Amino acid sequence: MKAYEWLTEGKAGQVIKLGLFSDIHFDSPDCDRETLKAHLDACVKDGRYILFNGDFFDAIILSDRKRSAAHLIENTDQQLNIKLQNACDFLEPYQKHIIFMGRGNHEESIMKYNGIDLLQMLTTMLNKGEDHKILYGNYANFLRFTFKIKANRKEEHYDIFAHHGCGGSAPATKGMLDFGALTKGINADLLWLGHKHNALIDYSAPVMHIDKDGEVVMKNRQCIETPSYQKGRTIDYNANFAERFYNHTAFSGFGEVNLRLVAKGNGYQIIPDVKITTIPQVVIGKAQTAVLTKKMQKTK
């Protein structure tokens, strides 16, 4: 686990805007790259810092006999080289806007069984020759955003606990059980999960404590689960549990977090605004049609 901090000068009305992305699976044939590009462009236009919380890569290779036939990019054995270069070319225009990339289970798997850390290689390639550096994270990370306030020489913090997630597709709970487990042991303002490809926000996860002034206060924590950028699948054998037995996972989308610093009494307070932006619909196939050539016979 790692911890990171970003500092910014704080004054009343100052806003930090974040775009939370996960589960891109960029090198998968199912990746919705068109929507991904549109959402990244929207973040740039809106002045949002971009963060990725695992599984940017799909990283299915030849040795994975269950899935590799549908995931090969070109007729070559150098699959990882191609996946890495394609990802770098795609993200290069956004390098100055990306501040963090954490690992997911797909990156962990390829690292464990093949000894290659694709995400670390990607951030190294993107950072080469650039003053702005994308921070490379672990599977679980604390992300702190700090307003340094000159007026009273104090600081206000907003902490995000970013964990890629674990377990199955969770069609019944959509990952709410994961939030319940995390809120018991993690003290952060926002708990951020990916992995299950669901879009979910829990606005109320309070915790009670005594502050530095001896006041008993209740702090509200929020939870967000960001979806994937995966198109609807038409390959039955490659469908996951939720797609096969329940419903399709959430449409392509990302989390939006606005952190506004406001004056309160003799001090300041960070007011967060958290939401998820997704596309309204996706076409995953057309109905098969058949022509009835005989009229139905009435039963006598």
Side-chain angles (χ1 to χ4, degrees):
M1 186 179 298
K2 293 183 179 180
Y4 305 87
E5 184 177 20
W6 289 268
L7 305 176
T8 186
E9 181 181 345
K11 57 183 179 180
Q14 180 79 16
V15 180
I16 296 176
K17 297 181 179 181
L18 308 175
L20 308 184
F21 292 79
S22 69
D23 301 279
I24 306 301
H25 297 276
F26 181 78
D27 49 306
S28 166
D30 296 324
C31 179
D32 186 0
R33 295 190 185 184
E34 182 179 356
T35 301
L36 173 61
K37 183 180 185 305
H39 286 173
L40 290 175
D41 289 341
C43 285
V44 172
K45 184 178 180 180
D46 201 25
R48 293 190 181 278
Y49 298 105
I50 298 168
L51 301 89
F52 292 100
N53 190 12
D55 282 2
F56 183 86
F57 286 101
D58 201 50
I60 301 299
I61 59 175
L62 292 166
S63 60
D64 189 339
R65 297 182 179 181
K66 180 181 177 181
R67 303 176 181 86
S68 63
H71 287 249
L72 298 184
I73 299 176
E74 296 180 15
N75 187 23
T76 177
D77 290 337
Q78 298 178 348
Q79 291 295 306
L80 296 181
N81 300 57
I82 297 172
K83 294 173 188 290
L84 183 60
Q85 189 60 57
N86 288 349
C88 184
D89 292 342
F90 182 86
L91 288 181
E92 194 171 16
Y94 307 102
Q95 192 275 346
K96 289 181 172 57
H97 303 273
I98 302 170
I99 62 173
F100 174 81
M101 299 190 78
R103 293 198 307 268
N105 58 290
H106 279 248
E107 288 91 8
E108 296 254 306
S109 179
I110 206 73
M111 183 168 60
K112 179 178 179 180
Y113 294 106
N114 297 275
I116 299 173
D117 191 338
L118 283 177
L119 197 68
Q120 186 179 52
M121 295 174 69
L122 176 60
T123 55
T124 299
M125 291 170 66
L126 290 170
N127 287 338
K128 187 176 181 180
E130 298 289 344
D131 294 330
H132 168 77
K133 300 299 181 182
I134 301 170
L135 296 183
Y136 160 73
N138 281 353
Y139 200 93
N141 309 269
F142 276 100
L143 314 176
R144 167 166 284 187
F145 296 88
T146 300
F147 290 98
K148 294 183 71 69
I149 304 164
K150 290 184 178 180
N152 58 8
R153 297 183 181 180
K154 292 184 179 180
E155 297 180 350
E156 292 292 334
H157 309 287
Y158 186 86
D159 295 334
I160 299 176
F161 180 70
H163 187 290
H164 177 66
C166 56
S169 299
T173 66
K174 295 185 178 181
M176 284 300 297
L177 295 180
D178 296 342
F179 288 148
L182 285 176
T183 53
K184 291 179 180 179
I186 302 297
N187 186 9
D189 299 291
L190 181 67
L191 305 177
W192 174 24
L193 293 174
H195 185 60
K196 291 182 171 63
H197 299 191
N198 292 315
L200 181 68
I201 296 180
D202 181 4
Y203 286 104
S204 179
V207 60
M208 190 180 299
H209 66 100
I210 301 176
D211 68 9
K212 59 186 178 181
D213 298 319
E215 298 286 347
V216 178
V217 297
M218 184 171 287
K219 171 184 174 181
N220 188 36
R221 297 172 295 172
Q222 296 175 313
C223 304
I224 184 170
E225 186 176 321
T226 45
S228 71
Y229 279 82
Q230 180 177 278
K231 297 178 182 178
R233 292 179 177 176
T234 57
I235 305 173
D236 289 340
Y237 71 84
N238 203 27
N240 63 34
F241 181 83
E243 290 172 309
R244 189 184 294 273
F245 295 106
Y246 288 88
N247 58 287
H248 196 278
T249 48
F251 296 157
S252 300
F254 69 103
E256 296 183 43
V257 177
N258 296 336
L259 306 177
R260 183 179 300 275
L261 186 68
V262 299
K264 183 179 181 181
N266 296 325
Y268 293 84
Q269 183 179 10
I270 298 174
I271 304 297
D273 178 31
V274 181
K275 66 178 183 178
I276 295 178
T277 294
T278 60
I279 58 176
Q281 69 176 23
V282 61
V283 176
I284 62 173
K286 293 184 178 180
Q288 299 183 27
T289 58
V291 178
L292 298 176
T293 56
K294 295 182 179 181
K295 293 183 178 180
M296 294 181 65
Q297 298 291 328
K298 290 184 177 181
T299 303
K300 294 184 179 180

